[in-house]
Amino acid sequence: MSVLVTGAGGFIGQAVVQRLLAAGSRVIAFDRNLSSLPEDVNILRVEGDLTDGVKVAACFEAGAEKFIHLAALPGGAAEQDPISSFKTNVEATTALMHRAADLGGSPRFVFASTIAVLGDPLPEDGVNDATPLRPKMYYGMHKQMAEIALATMSRRGILDGVGVRLPGIVARPSGASGMKSAFMSDVFHALNASQPYEIPVSELAQLWVMSVSQCADNLVKALTIDSSLMPEQRVVTFPAVRVGMAELVEAIASDRGASIASVSYNPDTALEAGFGAHPTLDTSAAEAAGFRHDGGASALVANVFKHMNSV
Amino acid sequence: MSVLVTGAGGFIGQAVVQRLLAAGSRVIAFDRNLSSLPEDVNILRVEGDLTDGVKVAACFEAGAEKFIHLAALPGGAAEQDPISSFKTNVEATTALMHRAADLGGSPRFVFASTIAVLGDPLPEDGVNDATPLRPKMYYGMHKQMAEIALATMSRRGILDGVGVRLPGIVARPSGASGMKSAFMSDVFHALNASQPYEIPVSELAQLWVMSVSQCADNLVKALTIDSSLMPEQRVVTFPAVRVGMAELVEAIASDRGASIASVSYNPDTALEAGFGAHPTLDTSAAEAAGFRHDGGASALVANVFKHMNSV
């Protein structure tokens, strides 16, 4: 099986490629920069931007049969530049779906969407599979537009779409990533290194998080699940561990044998509203399709450091 | 008040422009061809394609304050060429919304969507404001994507969106229009001229229709309605008259003093499924916002011929 992974050089992409290779798949890795990937005869590399049709065509000439589409302009960057976000997150994404459909045989197409489609404020009494989508950020708006393309092409029977909405995935590498949710990862690095860190949400902030290893497991599973188990709209919200910020800090400190004294809280109103006000989450549809969360705060933290130490 | 009307030279656009002029508005008329519009000092004409940013900019330089966006690549043409449909119905439409938002002050933006967002088959037990959107045609998919842009920008407070889903609007001029629903209009012309016509749906087909004059009244009303009466998603399905094909034929023949003997039925499976299987329609949200249907089959037919004889 040849799987095209877009965004293969990124944080989640690397973990997905690792699993695909371990499972004996051939990977067509596409990203602007693939230097993060290991040398491997089963990786066919195509470096380029998703908006470059010639480079995308090269991925198809290399024999792509199934698809995991991760490449995106992330939330913070999309908010700064909605036109570029549209080009990548809607236009180029929809074009990739059309190309995949043109292969015939309704190939499996896994699309990484985002909980940003839910918008904010989220309903205080909890989110479930029937919660209306009310995005406020351009990132969520554009991802929702792509979800509609995936649903429609699946309905037409030309694409076998599996859309999955990702919560905060941790722990991303430190440094600017264009993601507003970077703090969720940075707190892992700070406590791991016993460095001071000012958390831009309150201790009471409630987050939805998933370890990158759990996320990659789910994405690879999405290639083979029975899509008749998916909702008609072909998209589910990934199960996430819901954890309070203070609880997460304690779980990390406990795992690392570190002190929580190095972290402090200085809530930013916008970040607290956007990432710290996540109510209870019911992801029955995703669980019925076979997707899983990390199991709890401690297990999530353990998964994060196990992954961090393996790369 | 200066109103930019895109698609102003088209069938619905002409009727909208006529009403705006009568109400004392200044109209910035934008379309590829405006030869259908009368000479009038209150019409500022810009001829060009919606995908031509320079021409669109000229509309804004002319002082557009409010917007009625009708220009679209229609359903049949969109199905043949989804890439062109994307460019007009999603990319250029979203870009127009951004430009309008950039004016500041959250201007009113009326967007003509379509019942094609509902998809087919429609639920047999009726459609209401809670019916899930399941488009199957590219036209419906692209219009739904634009609905999301309108909703999100309204939620952000930068645009005052009023989206309206149009049913079959009658009676369009005869001839190729790229619309699969052309038969709904052609039957008016055939019976009016006592010419033979083969109807491509069955006598039992159930249609949702609205006269162009009722449609134009509703679109102009959309410029001034209290948008707090609109649903959060800022889009409603227009009230339509639900009428059986045979009943419509009889109403037209009765109005015209014509014989129904000149029409025959030769149902096309796809057209019957797409346009002839419309269940009962509950448009409470639209009616609460102030939109109206023609009142019944006879009133609709009378409105159609009154309009046809006025232009």
Side-chain angles (χ1 to χ4, degrees), chain A residues 58-241:
Chain A
C59 297
F60 282 82
E61 286 154 17
E65 296 169 299
K66 295 191 176 195
F67 302 83
I68 298 182
H69 178 42
L70 303 172
L73 195 80
E79 200 63 12
Q80 293 298 315
D81 184 354
I83 302 301
S84 291
S85 172
F86 181 89
K87 285 188 194 306
T88 295
N89 297 335
V90 185
E91 185 177 15
T93 290
T94 307
L96 185 72
M97 292 177 191
H98 276 294
R99 268 188 199 271
D102 287 345
L103 289 176
S106 192
R108 174 61 53 90
F109 193 102
V110 179
F111 168 58
S113 187
T114 170
I115 56 168
V117 300
L118 292 162
D120 65 271
L122 291 165
E124 286 181 19
D125 59 350
V127 165
N128 60 38
D129 295 314
T131 301
L133 305 186
R134 295 176 172 177
K136 201 178 272 174
M137 286 174 52
Y138 289 120
Y139 184 60
M141 160 175 140
H142 290 150
K143 287 283 191 177
Q144 190 190 355
M145 291 166 83
E147 285 186 1
I148 285 163
L150 189 77
T152 307
M153 292 192 213
S154 298
R155 205 171 281 132
R156 292 173 73 98
I158 58 175
L159 205 65
D160 189 15
V162 176
V164 293
R165 296 184 189 130
L166 273 53
I169 307 298
V170 289
R172 295 175 183 276
S174 302
S177 67
M179 307 198 70
K180 286 173 170 275
S181 56
F183 73 90
M184 292 186 208
S185 295
D186 292 344
V187 69
F188 282 85
H189 301 299
L191 283 161
N192 191 36
S194 295
Q195 287 176 344
Y197 185 65
E198 194 176 86
I199 300 174
V201 294
S202 75
E203 293 180 78
L204 298 173
Q206 294 289 329
L207 317 175
W208 293 345
V209 279
M210 182 182 279
S211 74
V212 65
S213 51
Q214 186 68 53
C215 180
D217 286 348
N218 281 327
L219 287 164
V220 171
K221 182 177 280 184
L223 283 176
T224 54
I225 64 162
D226 179 355
S227 56
S228 72
L229 299 174
M230 290 286 288
E232 197 275 343
Q233 308 282 359
R234 294 297 185 102
V235 60
V236 296
T237 301
F238 260 171
V241 170

Side-chain angles (χ1 to χ4, degrees), chain A residues 79 86 90-91 98 133-138 141 144-145 148-149 152 155-156 158 232-233, chain B residues 79 86 90-91 98 133-138 141 144-145 148-149 152-153 155-156 158 232-233:
Chain A
E79 200 63 12
F86 181 89
V90 185
E91 185 177 15
H98 276 294
L133 305 186
R134 295 176 172 177
K136 201 178 272 174
M137 286 174 52
Y138 289 120
M141 160 175 140
Q144 190 190 355
M145 291 166 83
I148 285 163
T152 307
R155 205 171 281 132
R156 292 173 73 98
I158 58 175
E232 197 275 343
Q233 308 282 359
Chain B
E79 199 63 13
F86 181 89
V90 185
E91 185 177 15
H98 276 294
L133 305 185
R134 295 177 172 177
K136 200 177 273 174
M137 285 174 53
Y138 289 120
M141 160 175 140
Q144 190 190 355
M145 292 166 83
I148 285 164
T152 307
M153 291 191 213
R155 204 171 281 132
R156 292 172 73 98
I158 59 175
E232 198 276 343
Q233 308 282 358

Side-chain angles (χ1 to χ4, degrees), chain A residues 43-79:
Chain A
I43 301 179
L44 189 288
R45 292 158 191 268
V46 181
E47 286 196 340
D49 192 88
L50 190 69
T51 59
D52 181 340
V54 174
K55 293 296 175 68
V56 173
C59 297
F60 282 82
E61 286 154 17
E65 296 169 299
K66 295 191 176 195
F67 302 83
I68 298 182
H69 178 42
L70 303 172
L73 195 80
E79 200 63 12

Side-chain angles (χ1 to χ4, degrees), chain B residues 197-230:
Chain B
Y197 184 64
E198 193 176 85
I199 300 174
V201 294
S202 74
E203 291 179 79
L204 298 171
Q206 294 288 329
L207 317 175
W208 291 346
V209 279
M210 181 181 278
S211 74
V212 65
S213 52
Q214 186 68 52
C215 180
D217 286 348
N218 281 326
L219 287 165
V220 171
K221 182 176 280 183
L223 282 176
T224 53
I225 65 162
D226 178 354
S227 57
S228 72
L229 299 174
M230 290 286 289

Side-chain angles (χ1 to χ4, degrees), chain B residues 237-282:
Chain B
T237 301
F238 260 170
V241 170
R242 179 173 182 256
V243 61
M245 194 68 229
E247 186 192 353
L248 181 61
V249 164
E250 282 184 24
I252 301 170
S254 170
D255 188 275
R256 296 290 97 187
S259 163
I260 65 168
S262 65
V263 305
S264 57
Y265 295 86
N266 185 13
D268 171 272
T269 308
L271 289 176
E272 185 85 13
F275 300 99
H278 287 83
T280 57
L281 176 63
D282 174 342

Side-chain angles (χ1 to χ4, degrees), chain B residues 3-10 17 26-35 37 40 42-64 71 96:
Chain B
V3 183
L4 171 57
V5 180
T6 73
V17 170
R26 181 169 167 268
V27 176
I28 301 163
F30 183 56
D31 208 332
R32 286 181 292 188
N33 185 330
L34 292 167
S35 59
L37 294 184
D40 193 300
N42 288 314
I43 301 179
L44 188 291
R45 294 159 189 267
V46 181
E47 287 196 338
D49 192 88
L50 190 70
T51 60
D52 182 341
V54 174
K55 293 297 174 69
V56 174
C59 296
F60 282 81
E61 286 154 18
L96 185 72

Side-chain angles (χ1 to χ4, degrees), chain B residues 91-174:
Chain B
E91 185 177 15
T93 290
T94 308
L96 185 72
M97 292 177 190
H98 276 294
R99 269 188 199 270
D102 287 346
L103 290 176
S106 192
R108 173 63 50 92
F109 193 102
V110 178
F111 168 59
S113 187
T114 170
I115 57 167
V117 299
L118 291 162
D120 66 272
L122 291 166
E124 287 181 18
D125 58 350
V127 166
N128 60 39
D129 294 315
T131 300
L133 305 185
R134 295 177 172 177
K136 200 177 273 174
M137 285 174 53
Y138 289 120
Y139 185 60
M141 160 175 140
H142 290 151
K143 286 285 190 176
Q144 190 190 355
M145 292 166 83
E147 285 185 2
I148 285 164
L150 188 78
T152 307
M153 291 191 213
S154 297
R155 204 171 281 132
R156 292 172 73 98
I158 59 175
L159 204 65
D160 188 14
V162 176
V164 293
R165 295 184 189 131
L166 274 53
I169 307 298
V170 291
R172 295 178 182 275
S174 302

